[in-house]
Amino acid sequence: MKQARTLFDKVWDSHVIVTREDGESLLWVDRHFVHEGSHHAFRQVEARGLPVAEPALTFGVADHYVPTRNRPAIDNPEIAGMVERLSANAARHGFRLFGLEDPDQGIVHVVGPEQGLTLPGLLVVCGDSHTSTHGALGAYAFGIGASEVAHVLMTQTLWQRKPKRMRIRIEGTLAPGLSAKDLALHVIRTIGADGARGHALEYAGEVISALSMEGRLTLCNMSIEAGARCAMVAPDTVTFAYLQGRPLAPEGEAFDRAEAVWRGLASDPDAVFDRDIALDASAIAPLVTWGVSPEDALPINARVPDPAEETDPARAGYLQQAIDYMGLEAGMRLEDVRVDRVFIGSCTNARIEDLRAAASVLRGRKAIVPGLVSPGSSRVKAQAEREGLDLIFREAGLEWADSGCSMCVGMNGDLVAAGERCASTTNRNFRGRQGKDARTHLMSPAMVAAAAVTGRLTDLRKLAGG
Amino acid sequence: MERFIHLEATTCPLGLANVDTDQLIPARFMSRPRSEGYGRFLLHDLRFGPDGQSLGFMLDEARHAGAAIVVARRNFGTGSSREAAVYALWDFGIRCVIAPSFGDIFASNAVKNGLLPAQVSPEDAETILALLEGAEHPRLKVDLEDLRIEIGHRSFPFAIDAVRRLQLLNGWDDLDLTRRHAGEITAFRARRIAEAPWILPG
């Protein structure tokens, strides 16, 4: 009898070219996404004088540095140079580019699934840690550094050691108004920012089955913030329905043949995981981060931790430094924390469902702080405009911009000013992430919208009730 | 790639937990060409004020001048895949980071550039930090052949994946290893496309 395998095992096995005696495997890469920040890798390729091995499996996306206003002009010459270099590399090596003026441009982790480029069972890599996002479709997807990007460009392969397998089953029902972002923050605060380190993570359970593809993408996206090597959801009817009719997905009979294979990818019932964790979604309240790591998340009705109550001196020191950086006071109510601006965007939470959730809170209301909305892709932007969501954001007083990584990482100049506090749908509340000395609170799109209305961290459920 | 066998050097007991890659090198510096050197960008916003003046961060203290080793608390290098975080450490002169845990992508990037991520137990990290903080000349000896860290007469074990250890010891380059498998790659490609033709999009 064949040994029972997990979803991850099956995808791994189908990509192993060779395994060395020391346990390292050479893996075949089905999809390689590059962006304008991949310039270090292209320089390594040039230095070797080698061609790109598989241009048909390589896709370029301009997202990290692109402006979100007044396109296609790029005022900053350094950024213009990077975007031009990506275009030049795409032309020279002959791979498809989703450039600044392409109606399909967007954030790479939104574009891949949206175009039907990300498919179940594929091995997907990109020089960006949030590549874990693509695992929502049942792909083995992970971020790599510049040296590995160069290696994939030149060989379409990567050396990897097989990670351990970890499953998180989430049962129960998510309360109304809560979303995949709350699930993600709950997972991270439960297991820690390095809780899934060295593991391939699979999400399962009734909450995951009921989750939309957008929600699954958010959850897998944030899994890198728990240190996971990758995160996956077994392909099911939600996945297949999502993929049908995508521009670059297989069509007709070809789709049916693929789907028959994809249906066999789910973990075998008796497959064994190195770690298996069960969580109850019913007990989750809306979560926000108060500190400088995504694990610093608490229910909105909680208080900022008090280092004086901490027995471990190193932990107390960490808490105090985080509180100081964030400009908070130990023990203060999170609901009393005032924000200076909001941001709705990023590969985490800027898909159409996210924009709808935020717009439903803002409909007929005014934001009392400034804010920026940057859709996850130009297609999402067009869809939102067809639905009139842009008008809701604009009438609430928020700025409706073009698509890119924008204020999640601030590389394009969309920055939170020093000392300012931003309620953000993004993925990292690291020191300086949204700008030097900027303070970031992570939360769901609906919670960001609620914060925009009141000017402070707000329990969405209270806003809806009154 | 430069080989790493052993190193005895001034060591900075950084002691911070969750040193993410946005702190190691803030994103705004990453469009710069490497030829300028990335050392000044290392932990930039902890080290320099708004006018570029030194904030007297421990890395810049006289007693840590010339440090080639840093010791941190858990989850060092967490966050983005930016290899520039390793470039910043390397160009500053750091060749080894000791911590109880590392971000996976960071650890991989480190080894590919010849920088050793040495994993110690959380208890040993605390002891090493305390010894360094109390030392007049904070120095460590790191031996990758024996997987030991020595400070004075104290010795601590550290861990690193066996393959990564060999890569560092020998200065191996991945690409050279991969090219030995060119024939197998070609055969695999044909089989993969036959079995899963949908990998070729459109």
Side-chain angles (χ1 to χ4, degrees):
Chain A
M1 201 183 128
K2 247 184 137 179
Q3 208 191 337
R5 293 187 299 167
T6 66
L7 162 62
F8 176 78
D9 293 328
K10 294 177 187 183
V11 181
W12 171 275
D13 289 350
S14 63
H15 289 85
V16 175
I17 299 165
V18 63
T19 299
R20 286 199 314 242
E21 264 181 40
D22 60 25
E24 289 270 306
S25 294
L26 186 65
L27 301 179
W28 172 260
V29 173
D30 298 311
R31 290 281 179 278
H32 186 197
F33 294 106
V34 295
H35 55 83
E36 70 274 38
S38 307
H39 59 104
H40 288 293
F42 279 103
R43 216 172 347 258
Q44 288 184 38
V45 174
E46 275 162 35
R48 297 263 186 176
L50 288 171
V52 169
E54 299 284 349
L57 303 180
T58 307
F59 298 87
V61 184
D63 60 358
H64 276 69
Y65 288 83
V66 298
T68 52
R69 269 66 62 97
N70 306 320
R71 292 201 327 210
I74 304 179
D75 297 337
N76 180 324
E78 213 169 58
I79 292 175
M82 292 178 79
V83 174
E84 279 162 24
R85 266 204 301 283
L86 177 67
S87 303
N89 278 315
R92 179 187 316 153
H93 298 290
F95 59 83
R96 165 85 195 264
L97 172 69
F98 297 90
L100 195 54
E101 294 179 68
D102 192 318
D104 291 334
Q105 176 272 347
I107 308 173
V108 59
H109 309 310
V110 178
V111 169
E114 177 179 85
Q115 288 293 318
L117 282 169
T118 305
L119 299 171
L122 298 195
L123 194 156
V124 180
V125 296
C126 173
D128 186 275
S129 60
H130 290 106
T131 308
S132 61
T133 312
H134 305 253
L137 290 116
Y140 169 27
F142 55 100
I144 54 179
S147 295
E148 290 182 315
V149 169
H151 190 274
V152 176
L153 285 171
M154 293 184 279
T155 68
Q156 202 62 20
T157 66
L158 259 188
W159 289 102
Q160 290 286 299
R161 175 176 291 272
K162 192 174 181 182
K164 292 182 179 153
R165 275 74 73 199
M166 177 172 177
R167 177 168 59 184
I168 298 182
R169 283 170 297 144
I170 309 179
E171 309 291 353
T173 332
L174 211 49
L178 271 73
S179 72
K181 185 61 158 292
D182 298 290
L183 273 181
L185 290 172
H186 181 68
V187 166
I188 299 162
R189 74 184 286 254
T190 304
I191 68 173
D194 53 358
R197 191 170 43 82
H199 287 77
L201 191 53
E202 177 178 344
Y203 289 103
E206 56 189 349
V207 172
I208 306 304
S209 301
L211 211 53
S212 67
M213 188 48 64
E214 283 83 355
R216 295 175 187 186
L217 289 159
T218 298
L219 186 58
C220 289
N221 171 279
M222 288 291 288
S223 299
I224 182 68
E225 310 311 333
R229 192 71 187 116
C230 68
M232 302 172 89
V233 175
D236 61 8
T237 49
V238 172
T239 320
F240 308 139
Y242 175 88
L243 285 171
Q244 284 279 6
R246 297 274 156 196
L248 296 169
E251 291 175 77
E253 248 180 78
F255 190 96
D256 297 342
R257 272 199 302 278
E259 187 186 312
V261 172
W262 297 339
R263 282 185 185 280
L265 288 174
S267 290
D268 297 331
D270 46 349
V272 178
F273 291 82
D274 298 282
R275 286 174 72 194
D276 210 350
I277 291 174
L279 297 176
D280 180 8
S282 310
I284 303 176
L287 289 158
V288 297
T289 61
W290 63 268
V292 294
S293 161
E295 71 183 7
D296 299 335
L298 285 170
I300 179 64
N301 50 12
R303 290 170 182 274
V304 173
D306 186 350
E309 292 170 10
E310 184 57 58
T311 50
D312 173 4
R315 175 73 185 160
Y318 171 82
L319 293 177
Q320 190 60 54
Q321 285 170 6
I323 287 169
D324 292 346
Y325 180 83
M326 292 299 290
L328 301 171
E329 281 165 41
M332 77 184 287
R333 282 160 28 99
L334 287 170
E335 286 176 283
D336 290 337
V337 175
R338 299 201 160 277
V339 301
D340 300 303
R341 62 174 53 253
V342 301
F343 176 61
I344 298 171
S346 86
C347 58
T348 306
N349 270 139
R351 297 177 184 82
I352 190 67
E353 196 178 85
D354 302 316
L355 300 186
R356 287 177 189 146
S360 75
V361 173
L362 287 167
R363 192 186 306 271
R365 291 189 167 111
K366 294 283 181 206
I368 66 167
V369 293
L372 177 65
V373 185
S374 174
S377 71
S378 301
R379 279 191 166 228
V380 167
K381 185 179 188 217
Q383 172 71 26
E385 287 173 353
R386 279 196 294 278
E387 296 180 18
L389 304 184
D390 58 321
L391 291 178
I392 296 173
F393 290 121
R394 282 184 214 266
E395 280 167 13
L398 301 183
E399 191 173 2
W400 177 249
D402 285 318
S403 178
C405 298
S406 183
M407 202 178 275
C408 175
V409 66
M411 287 171 168
N412 72 339
D414 292 345
L415 291 165
V416 176
E420 273 196 356
R421 187 182 302 286
C422 181
S424 183
T425 68
T426 54
N427 42 60
R428 288 185 175 138
N429 51 341
F430 296 161
R431 287 179 174 84
R433 171 77 177 183
Q434 293 190 294
K436 189 173 182 331
D437 296 323
R439 295 159 173 162
T440 304
H441 295 270
L442 306 176
M443 64 201 79
S444 72
M447 286 285 285
V448 167
V453 170
T454 64
R456 53 186 169 75
L457 303 184
T458 297
D459 189 337
L460 163 79
R461 299 167 301 183
K462 293 183 186 168
L463 191 68
Chain B
M1 193 178 89
E2 223 169 89
R3 296 167 68 175
F4 189 113
I5 302 170
H6 36 70
L7 172 68
E8 183 173 0
T10 298
T11 304
C12 179
L14 209 53
L16 302 170
N18 286 330
V19 178
D20 55 71
T21 50
D22 281 83
Q23 288 181 74
L24 284 169
I25 178 164
R28 62 183 184 277
F29 299 122
M30 284 164 50
S31 54
R32 306 282 181 88
R34 175 82 185 272
S35 52
E36 289 176 14
Y38 273 30
R40 181 173 164 89
F41 308 145
L42 176 66
L43 294 166
H44 183 278
D45 293 347
L46 292 175
R47 293 169 58 207
F48 301 107
D51 305 321
Q53 78 279 23
S54 172
L55 299 175
F57 186 68
M58 64 189 332
L59 212 49
D60 298 314
E61 286 173 14
R63 65 196 301 260
H64 301 130
I69 305 170
V70 295
V71 185
R73 291 195 165 93
R74 65 178 265 263
N75 209 18
F76 188 93
T78 182
S80 95
S81 62
R82 60 186 72 163
E83 201 158 305
V86 177
Y87 303 159
L89 284 161
W90 185 271
D91 291 354
F92 185 85
I94 305 299
R95 297 292 177 266
C96 171
V97 180
I98 298 169
S101 62
F102 295 92
D104 275 343
I105 306 176
F106 172 82
S108 170
N109 290 340
V111 171
K112 292 190 192 310
N113 288 276
L115 188 146
L116 168 65
Q119 191 183 2
V120 293
S121 72
E123 297 75 26
D124 284 351
E126 294 303 324
T127 311
I128 294 168
L129 284 168
L131 288 169
L132 289 168
E133 279 155 12
E136 195 180 337
H137 301 292
R139 280 179 86 78
L140 285 182
K141 201 169 148 189
V142 178
D143 189 328
L144 185 57
E145 284 181 316
D146 294 340
L147 296 170
R148 304 293 302 181
I149 295 164
E150 279 175 39
I151 174 166
H153 60 285
R154 299 285 300 272
S155 170
F156 306 86
F158 70 90
I160 181 171
D161 173 89
V163 175
R164 289 183 175 166
R165 175 174 168 269
L166 282 179
Q167 279 183 322
L168 285 167
L169 284 173
N170 296 300
W172 281 337
D173 179 280
D174 275 345
L175 194 66
D176 299 334
L177 298 176
T178 308
R179 293 176 96 181
R180 294 184 205 163
H181 298 282
E184 287 149 299
I185 295 171
T186 306
F188 184 95
R189 177 188 193 277
R191 198 167 78 232
R192 178 78 185 139
I193 291 171
E195 283 172 3
W198 51 87
I199 75 162
L200 294 171

